[in-house]
């Protein structure tokens, strides 16, 4: 199983809503990532979890709150988002904190209205 | 961190022709050089990678070449097919503490015209 599964695939939320994005992998990878991708741009790193501990937070606003309940799961909790937060949110995983192939999920297309 | 430049930003080729995309990086200690393909509506997927102890690597119609002296690596696609149409990213992670953190180039949108 070389898949990273993200749910939901699409999400529309209002600026006062609270929602969560979910990501799951069963490859035994110990590093997991959240990226944000705007249209026609490359993915931008948001957070990195290594061995279930947050190791990188790329100055992301507090309305985005990551969580890593165990080594297979990664969540991104969303609260009080702005329309400019609309984007494709990608989850990825790697075997560890080293230079190796990253496996990406299909992403969650988020629209904030 | 790693500074990455990728060229061209768009590339149109006739089916059957070759395509070449170049990526320049700044960290001379980098030792891993991957290329990712992103199709519409999907996440990026690794298509080929090379490590610094090798100058060239081939996988069927796809190859990557590395010039460590000049600090650039290139993606070569031969006998292009319509399904090669996608956005391609180089993403060298650099070295040091952030070395598992991919630094994406701006991307190249490849269009293969049937």
């Amino acid at each position: 199983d070389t898949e990273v599964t993200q749910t939901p695939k699409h999400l529309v939320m209002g600026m006062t809503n609270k929602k969560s994005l979910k990501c799951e992998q069963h490859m035994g990878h110990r590093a997991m990532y959240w990226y944000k991708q705007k249209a026609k741009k490359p993915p931008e790193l948001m957070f990195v979890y290594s061995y279930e501990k947050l190791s990188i937070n790329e100055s992301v606003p507090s309305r985005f709150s990551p969580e890593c309940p165990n080594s297979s799961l990664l969540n991104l909790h969303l609260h009080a988002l702005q329309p400019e937060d609309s984007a494709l949110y990608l989850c990825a995983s790697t075997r560890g904190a080293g230079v190796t192939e990253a496996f990406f999920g299909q992403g969650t297309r988020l629209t904030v209205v | 961190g790693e500074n990455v430049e990728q060229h061209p930003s768009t590339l149109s080729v006739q089916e059957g022709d070759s395509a070449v995309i170049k990526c320049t990086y700044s960290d001379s200690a980098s030792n891993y050089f991957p290329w990712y393909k992103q199709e519409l509506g999907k996440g990026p997927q690794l298509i080929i990678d090379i490590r610094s102890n090798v100058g060239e690597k081939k996988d069927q119609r796809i190859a990557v070449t590395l010039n460590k002296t000049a600090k650039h690596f290139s993606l070569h696609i031969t006998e292009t097919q319509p399904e090669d149409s996608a956005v391609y990213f180089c993403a060298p992670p650099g070295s040091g503490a952030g070395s598992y953190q991919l630094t994406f180039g701006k991307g190249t949108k490849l269009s293969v015209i049937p």
Side-chain angles (χ1 to χ4, degrees), chain B residues 24-87:
Chain B
T24 305
Y25 61 94
S26 62
D27 186 346
S28 55
S30 289
N31 59 10
Y32 178 64
F33 307 93
W35 284 98
Y36 285 80
K37 175 184 181 182
Q38 187 173 22
E39 295 176 284
L40 203 60
K42 296 187 176 180
Q45 182 180 17
L46 181 78
I47 53 169
I48 196 164
D49 56 11
I50 193 169
R51 296 195 182 264
S52 58
N53 57 346
V54 176
E56 181 175 358
K57 182 177 175 182
K58 250 184 155 177
D59 183 3
Q60 299 182 11
R61 297 185 298 106
I62 294 172
V64 54
T65 57
L66 172 64
N67 184 328
K68 283 218 79 178
T69 306
K71 290 194 279 188
H72 67 73
F73 62 110
S74 297
L75 175 68
H76 305 256
I77 306 174
T78 57
E79 299 170 34
T80 52
Q81 299 169 4
E83 53 265 36
D84 295 328
S85 295
V87 179

Side-chain angles (χ1 to χ4, degrees), chain B residues 73-111:
Chain B
F73 62 110
S74 297
L75 175 68
H76 305 256
I77 306 174
T78 57
E79 299 170 34
T80 52
Q81 299 169 4
E83 53 265 36
D84 295 328
S85 295
V87 179
Y88 292 82
F89 294 101
C90 62
S95 62
S99 66
Y100 55 93
Q101 166 182 340
L102 300 178
T103 303
F104 283 88
K106 286 189 161 51
T108 297
K109 183 176 179 181
L110 174 65
S111 301

Side-chain angles (χ1 to χ4, degrees), chain A:
Chain A
D1 181 4
T2 57
E3 274 197 3
V4 174
T5 305
Q6 288 186 244
T7 55
K9 288 191 167 39
H10 301 275
L11 178 62
V12 179
M13 61 184 289
M15 288 188 283
T16 57
N17 290 161
K18 282 186 183 180
K19 296 284 184 185
S20 296
L21 309 185
K22 296 188 183 305
C23 175
E24 193 168 0
Q25 57 86 16
H26 296 288
M27 294 177 278
H29 289 177
R30 301 313 299 268
M32 295 185 75
Y33 310 74
W34 281 114
Y35 285 85
K36 173 182 177 180
Q37 187 176 27
K38 300 282 270 184
K40 299 187 180 180
K41 297 287 187 186
E44 292 176 9
L45 184 66
M46 300 174 72
F47 302 104
V48 181
Y49 272 84
S50 179
Y51 292 85
E52 294 136 64
K53 286 190 168 55
L54 183 64
S55 59
I56 292 179
N57 175 341
E58 291 286 359
S59 304
V60 179
S62 60
R63 55 187 186 267
F64 295 91
S65 175
E67 179 197 18
C68 189
N70 60 54
S71 60
S72 299
L73 293 174
L74 186 65
N75 298 322
L76 186 63
H77 302 296
L78 314 173
H79 173 55
L81 294 194
Q82 303 297 308
E84 59 264 29
D85 296 321
S86 298
L88 181 69
Y89 288 83
L90 292 162
C91 173
S93 69
T94 57
R95 197 165 58 236
V99 288
T100 183
E101 178 178 1
F103 290 80
F104 284 84
Q106 287 210 333
T108 294
R109 175 72 60 189
L110 174 68
T111 303
V112 181
V113 297

